[in-house]
Amino acid sequence: MSALRILVPVKRVIDYAVKPRVNKAQTGVETAGVKHSMNPFDELSVEESVRIREKKSAPGGVEDICVISAGPAKSADVLRTAMAMGADRGVHVEVKEGEDLEPLGVAKLLRAAVEKENSNLVILGKQSIDDDAAQTGQMLAGLLGWPQATQASRVVFGEGDKVEVTKEVDGGVETVRAKLPIIITTDLRINEPRYASLPNIMKAKKKPLVKMSLSDLGVANERRLKVIKVTEPPPRQGGGKVEDVDGLVSRLKELGAI
Amino acid sequence: MLFSTATRAALRSVGSLPRSTSAFSSPFSSPSALRRLLSSLAILEQRDGKLNHGSLSAITAAKKLGGSVHGFVAGSSIKPVAEEAAKVEGVEKIIAVDNAAYDKGLPENYAPLLVENIKKGGYTHIIAGHTAFGKSLLPRVAALLDSQQISDITAIENENIFVRPIYAGNAIATVESSDPIKVITIRGTAFPAAEAQGGSAAIEDGVDPNVEISVEWVSEDLAKSDRPDLATAGKVVSGGRGLKSKEDFDKIMLPLADSLGAAVGASRAAVDSGYADNSLQVGQTGKVVAPQLYLAVGISGAIQHLAGMKDSKVIAAINKDGEAPIFQVADVGLVGDLFDKVPELTEKLKSS
């Protein structure tokens, strides 16, 4: 069994608990002064990688856990967080604020990183909670020609480089088996990510963090989608409350709902 | 070859054609819409030889684009599925590939299969539902075509411009694609499934590249339910953390669902606590629903949950906390203990 060289892409996004506001110019969402953190699905990917090592669940062991993020200078913070959770090192591909990559661009960048780092397992989140595209892992698998196991809730390693993954699908779960190298995207149910402890946060500051540019990886930021406008969704007005069950039933009848 | 000879001739003379000529009856008046002939491929889902009618939403979206609409199905003994799909009005052709290798919809071989058929057909738009199948398959297809996919769209403005929710539905983005082949997943609740009647499409065998499969399908475990499917149900009753246990969830929510003929949903808190199955989760990370009636029971209304249900026609809520955010979006709210109110409601619905 090959030793695992795991690549974990992480994204810095507006914190999941913040309600995003559309900016005045209607060109996007207000990001200045808004709390950002690691995309929640990416925390699951980091956690899973660290657990694979800690639980010695892969017969060949884990040689390396490398986290990578493409984004503005502040993306280094989420890489440090990932290292505090147990990743060995980080790669920061610096992209200017407002020049975000699209999923296809990220997938191309990751393909280059996989080749450079000689990764044989990439664990991504199933989607980022800002763009909600849910594409990058699948695109990367397509570009590399690797098998993909999306929305994973369970990953089990076997002999002979085999990996068995249980995926969340509509109506239940499905299990597939493939050989390394493979792309896995994590679903909420896969694990419960740990909090980085203070000593580990301190240790993470000493772990290697390499800075790169897109051109270092031989990719360009080529955008295919132009954002024409971003608007608030039509507001929903609460219709008020009723006193009792009879009131509820008659109101639902008035509204034609029952 | 991208276009047939006849098409090329038609394209050359497009300037002199009246707008109403059927081949060019695009709903869009811009001249650029006429420059390239629109033709869409709707990816249809099947399971065990049965057409998934929910996937006919892809045809509805394709029809909105204008241009010709073809459907695509693949799997073992695909003929009956293709014949059923051929009855959908407005579909010109069903491309069918009969091969058991595609039964499970594994993207490792299904994506190259689609790419071959997309190239052969010269399609400009590839459309599938934003379902587990579509989400896993289409980005892989898009990458192979070097196209930036547009996910989970809720509206089509024209052949290049699409509307999609971002940030868990807290913002709505309108985006314009510059890719020659648009790869799109659609939000099923925004495009009602086309009805499988009135049409008589031709059925044609697709090309089959027979790509060697790099992944082995092992097993599946699907929740069995006689209730309506959550994603497409007209009424949904959904339970949250307030239900306290799986026993209470079943005891309170299931009779309520049955009294309304509704599907059962759940919040993430209820699913994580083991009260309900994962597949019932409504929200940003679960299913997006937009029924006539959404009744939220013991659900506070976090933004991730609202992302999955706030397009419902009527939202009703029962919660003991009068300050819960769900009441800000609910058309009708009842503050009270769900363990008293819901059984009372169930009784009254049954007797009315």
Side-chain angles (χ1 to χ4, degrees):
Chain A
M1 175 93 187
S2 317
L4 292 176
R5 292 186 56 83
I6 312 177
L7 186 70
V8 186
V10 297
K11 186 176 185 184
R12 178 178 176 267
V13 299
I14 292 183
D15 190 87
Y16 73 95
V18 174
K19 187 175 159 59
R21 303 269 171 211
V22 171
N23 64 20
K24 282 214 180 73
Q26 296 202 327
T27 54
V29 160
E30 197 58 71
T31 54
V34 174
K35 186 186 176 198
H36 283 65
S37 46
M38 194 191 308
N39 180 39
F41 294 102
D42 303 344
E43 290 184 351
L44 304 170
S45 311
V46 175
E47 177 67 31
E48 194 62 21
S49 312
V50 176
R51 284 190 191 190
I52 293 167
R53 168 150 59 202
E54 287 174 350
K55 296 193 170 165
K56 300 185 169 38
S57 55
V62 175
E63 188 182 309
D64 179 47
I65 302 173
C66 176
V67 285
I68 182 168
S69 190
K74 283 182 179 160
S75 302
D77 298 348
V78 299
L79 289 168
R80 290 287 174 204
T81 305
M83 288 190 273
M85 289 172 72
D88 299 318
R89 62 200 176 92
V91 174
H92 179 199
V93 183
E94 198 160 351
V95 180
K96 268 188 237 148
E97 193 97 41
E99 290 183 5
D100 326 348
L101 294 156
E102 291 170 347
L104 184 63
V106 176
K108 287 178 179 176
L109 175 155
L110 292 175
R111 172 177 58 184
V114 160
E115 283 160 3
K116 190 169 172 297
E117 303 293 346
N118 199 17
S119 317
N120 55 8
L121 172 63
V122 186
I123 310 184
L124 307 89
K126 75 163 178 179
Q127 76 190 61
S128 66
I129 60 164
D130 50 1
D131 189 40
D132 283 333
Q135 299 170 359
T136 308
Q138 299 88 307
M139 287 182 156
L140 177 61
L143 293 177
L144 289 164
W146 291 7
Q148 67 182 58
T150 49
Q151 299 189 221
S153 56
R154 189 165 153 268
V155 180
V156 179
F157 293 86
E159 293 300 328
D161 282 358
K162 284 208 176 112
V163 192
E164 198 170 282
V165 183
T166 301
K167 309 159 56 181
E168 304 270 317
V169 295
D170 300 338
V173 293
E174 180 182 77
T175 301
V176 294
R177 191 185 296 135
K179 269 187 161 185
L180 291 177
I182 187 174
I183 306 289
I184 295 174
T185 76
T186 53
D187 207 333
L188 275 175
R189 241 81 44 190
I190 195 165
N191 60 44
E192 190 79 43
R194 70 194 62 192
Y195 289 101
S197 66
L198 189 59
N200 284 339
I201 292 171
M202 300 311 288
K203 275 186 218 157
K205 291 187 176 170
K206 297 205 179 79
K207 290 185 179 176
L209 175 59
V210 177
K211 207 187 256 188
M212 282 190 186
S213 68
L214 288 173
S215 56
D216 291 338
L217 286 166
V219 286
N221 189 1
E222 181 194 2
R223 290 187 68 90
R224 312 290 183 79
L225 297 182
K226 186 171 126 196
V227 176
I228 295 179
K229 65 175 177 190
V230 175
T231 55
E232 297 272 352
R236 242 199 123 98
Q237 291 297 328
K241 291 171 186 149
V242 291
E243 285 301 311
D244 52 20
V245 171
D246 286 326
L248 182 67
V249 172
S250 59
R251 186 81 186 103
L252 288 177
K253 280 186 180 153
E254 278 168 37
L255 292 165
I258 56 174
Chain B
M1 197 184 352
L2 204 56
F3 299 119
S4 70
T5 320
T7 309
R8 281 172 196 282
L11 278 172
R12 269 196 298 276
S13 60
V14 66
S16 59
L17 279 172
R19 187 72 23 96
S20 60
T21 302
S22 66
F24 296 99
S25 62
S26 154
F28 316 113
S29 50
S30 80
S32 66
L34 299 177
R35 223 170 282 140
R36 189 154 183 245
L37 193 68
L38 272 177
S39 82
S40 301
L41 186 65
I43 316 301
L44 307 179
E45 300 183 30
Q46 64 100 15
R47 169 175 285 277
D48 303 332
K50 286 203 183 75
L51 180 67
N52 174 346
H53 283 250
S55 70
L56 298 179
S57 292
I59 291 179
T60 307
K63 285 204 269 190
K64 284 200 175 163
L65 279 162
S68 70
V69 179
H70 293 181
F72 184 90
V73 287
S76 55
S77 313
I78 203 68
K79 198 147 180 275
V81 179
E83 279 169 357
E84 202 182 344
K87 294 194 187 107
V88 178
E89 201 195 330
V91 178
E92 261 175 44
K93 200 191 279 178
I94 298 294
I95 314 285
V97 175
D98 197 323
N99 185 342
Y102 304 115
D103 275 347
K104 300 299 180 189
L106 296 168
E108 289 80 358
N109 64 346
Y110 209 117
L113 166 75
L114 268 179
V115 168
E116 287 298 310
N117 284 284
I118 291 162
K119 286 185 175 160
K120 181 173 176 242
Y123 299 104
T124 55
H125 293 74
I126 315 304
I127 307 173
H130 196 66
T131 57
F133 171 78
K135 275 194 272 192
S136 141
L137 174 66
L138 249 64
R140 194 168 175 122
V141 172
L144 296 175
L145 294 168
D146 195 37
S147 176
Q148 173 53 57
Q149 182 181 313
I150 311 135
S151 287
D152 203 20
I153 66 161
T154 51
I156 294 170
E157 288 209 349
N158 67 32
E159 60 177 286
N160 300 319
I161 301 184
F162 309 93
V163 178
R164 56 181 302 263
I166 54 174
Y167 289 93
N170 282 294
I172 308 296
T174 303
V175 296
E176 180 171 22
S177 165
S178 57
D179 281 316
I181 303 177
K182 273 84 166 149
V183 179
I184 299 162
T185 61
I186 56 161
R187 181 168 287 195
T189 55
F191 298 91
E195 276 195 53
Q197 56 183 25
S200 56
I203 297 173
E204 187 182 297
D205 286 336
V207 282
D208 187 352
N210 277 305
V211 171
E212 203 187 320
I213 186 98
S214 58
V215 60
E216 182 191 345
W217 187 88
V218 178
S219 64
E220 68 188 0
D221 182 12
L222 301 181
K224 285 168 197 72
S225 170
D226 297 331
R227 294 190 181 83
D229 175 53
L230 177 59
T232 52
K235 290 173 190 154
V236 173
V237 297
S238 213
R241 201 197 301 271
L243 269 309
K244 300 257 188 342
S245 70
K246 174 160 174 47
E247 290 68 38
D248 286 331
F249 190 98
D250 290 351
K251 195 175 81 196
I252 301 276
M253 297 304 292
L254 303 187
L256 173 66
D258 293 338
S259 70
L260 281 163
V264 178
S267 70
R268 185 183 165 199
V271 169
D272 281 351
S273 308
Y275 306 170
D277 190 77
N278 290 348
S279 60
L280 301 187
Q281 186 182 321
V282 172
Q284 185 183 19
T285 58
K287 290 221 167 51
V288 175
V289 300
Q292 283 294 109
L293 170 63
Y294 188 89
L295 175 51
V297 175
I299 291 176
S300 64
I303 58 172
Q304 292 82 5
H305 185 75
L306 299 183
M309 45 65 84
K310 68 184 166 59
D311 292 328
S312 305
K313 189 109 195 312
V314 173
I315 297 174
I318 300 178
N319 202 304
K320 67 175 182 217
D321 175 10
E323 302 300 312
I326 190 78
F327 288 118
Q328 292 163 20
V329 299
D331 298 288
V332 50
L334 176 61
V335 180
D337 184 350
L338 67 91
F339 291 98
D340 297 333
K341 303 296 180 192
V342 177
E344 188 188 340
L345 175 63
T346 304
E347 277 313 307
K348 289 196 164 135
L349 289 169
K350 264 193 213 156
S351 60
S352 71

